Amino acid sequence: MTDWTETELAALRRAYACGTTRVSYDGKSVDYGSAEDLLGRIRTIERAIAGTTRPLPVAGLAGFSRGDR
């Protein structure tokens, strides 16, 4: 389970789209060192949220037969 919310993610996306590195949401403010740092945080949260809502892929085992044995 993650501590990140859709509200935080939306605020990060808005800040990135506006070209700023200061993000405020839910009464909190965070300054990121660069746009790359901000984008990295966005990607981290997107992966974490997607990982908690997306079902895991099912892996199968392939079998082969030459037919003569």
Side-chain angles (χ1 to χ4, degrees):
M1 182 166 168
T2 64
D3 294 332
W4 299 303
T5 65
E6 289 290 339
T7 304
E8 180 180 2
L9 182 57
L12 291 166
R13 287 176 175 159
R14 276 192 305 274
Y16 186 76
C18 292
T20 185
T21 57
R22 183 175 183 86
V23 180
S24 298
Y25 62 94
D26 294 337
K28 304 172 190 174
S29 290
V30 179
D31 285 313
Y32 290 89
S34 67
E36 290 79 25
D37 292 342
L38 180 57
L39 184 58
R41 178 71 166 182
I42 291 169
R43 297 296 181 239
T44 298
I45 294 172
E46 286 174 339
R47 282 191 302 269
I49 289 174
T52 60
T53 59
R54 185 176 19 166
L56 295 175
V58 176
L61 178 63
F64 299 94
S65 173
R66 290 177 35 176
D68 62 347
R69 295 179 191 209

